[in-house]
Amino acid sequence: MLISFEGIDGCGKSTQIELLKKWFEKKGVEYSVFREPGGTDISERIRALLLHETDEMDPVTELLLFSAARSQLIREKVIPLLKLNRIVILDRFFDSTTAYQGYGRGSADLKSIQNLNRLATHQVKPDLTFYLKISPEEAENRISAVDKDRIENAGSAFFKKVADGYDILAQNETRFHTLDAAIPVDEIHKQIRQIIETRLQS
């Protein structure tokens, strides 16, 4: 089973993934976790370039680099693990590209981005996508004290477009489970557990 976590920066994805890891460990469930971009040597090098090693980048270049990092991760790590029936958790997947580079940057038209996503994912799709929905204002408050990377520094207008994009995706994709990221962390985790348990039982 492939589980992805989505949402704008500051929504609490990393916290929920850590709680999910601990829950799986208590249950004796084997799992693997990868972040996007990243997860392989090539993908981590691309991550450094995308987020930390330059201040300026053409939007199309950004789109293609994210997709290149994803392709390497899916082919090298994710597909082999899924063939072993391992649960794989992704901290971001192709929905991030649609929301950030599509709705946020306007790097390309949405149809072209969807085609690129299919190519970069080798047609792998999540079984479950948890969308942690939060206002851009609240997200900004959460990350205001941390050192921001190039994407996090994109500004409030950008993140409003990204959030709107995620909302559209959530309305159109049945695999999306929208969770209120402003409620207590433990309550969000409880909801995630319940959804996963229902899926595993079926």
Side-chain angles (χ1 to χ4, degrees):
M1 180 165 63
L2 179 59
I3 302 170
S4 62
F5 281 78
E6 295 287 353
I8 62 175
D9 294 84
C11 69
K13 292 182 293 79
S14 299
T15 298
Q16 291 303 322
I17 289 172
E18 285 301 315
L19 291 173
L20 183 57
K21 287 166 57 178
K22 292 176 181 177
W23 182 61
F24 278 151
E25 288 164 5
K26 285 184 178 180
K27 291 175 67 70
V29 174
E30 292 190 354
Y31 68 89
S32 296
V33 179
F34 302 103
R35 67 179 182 177
E36 278 218 2
T40 72
D41 288 344
I42 290 173
S43 302
E44 289 291 340
R45 292 178 187 177
I46 295 173
R47 180 187 181 88
L49 179 61
L50 277 164
L51 301 183
H52 303 294
E53 293 181 2
T54 182
D55 293 326
E56 299 294 332
M57 184 177 293
D58 178 76
V60 176
T61 302
E62 180 182 276
L63 169 66
L64 294 174
L65 285 173
F66 272 111
S67 298
R70 177 170 302 127
S71 176
Q72 188 66 30
L73 171 64
I74 297 303
R75 177 58 72 186
E76 184 177 331
K77 297 290 181 70
V78 174
I79 289 177
L81 288 167
L82 292 177
K83 287 181 177 179
L84 296 174
N85 293 319
R86 181 78 62 88
I87 291 178
V88 177
I89 303 167
L90 293 180
D91 185 346
R92 298 200 179 284
F93 197 27
F94 64 84
D95 296 305
S96 284
T97 292
T98 304
Y100 276 74
Q101 281 69 52
Y103 288 97
R105 296 281 198 219
S107 302
D109 64 272
L110 293 178
K111 185 175 181 180
S112 296
I113 289 177
Q114 290 166 357
N115 289 334
L116 181 58
N117 285 342
R118 280 191 288 271
L119 179 64
T121 61
H122 304 270
Q123 301 189 41
V124 171
K125 293 186 70 173
D127 298 290
L128 295 173
T129 296
F130 293 110
Y131 165 39
L132 277 66
K133 179 179 171 65
I134 193 171
S135 70
E137 294 78 17
E138 176 61 24
E140 171 62 25
N141 288 337
R142 292 184 177 186
I143 64 174
S144 60
V146 302
D147 290 333
K148 296 180 181 179
D149 60 36
R150 188 177 63 85
I151 302 294
E152 290 168 339
N153 271 318
S156 58
F158 169 76
F159 280 105
K160 177 64 168 61
K161 294 177 184 178
V162 174
D164 289 345
Y166 271 125
D167 289 343
I168 293 170
L169 287 171
Q171 293 171 6
N172 296 328
E173 295 284 352
T174 57
R175 60 184 164 81
F176 261 67
H177 295 269
T178 302
L179 306 171
D180 182 359
I183 67 174
V185 168
D186 290 343
E187 179 59 31
I188 300 171
H189 175 57
K190 180 180 178 181
Q191 293 179 19
I192 290 171
R193 290 201 324 260
Q194 291 172 339
I195 293 167
I196 292 175
E197 284 178 329
T198 299
R199 182 59 184 250
L200 290 174
Q201 289 170 359
S202 64

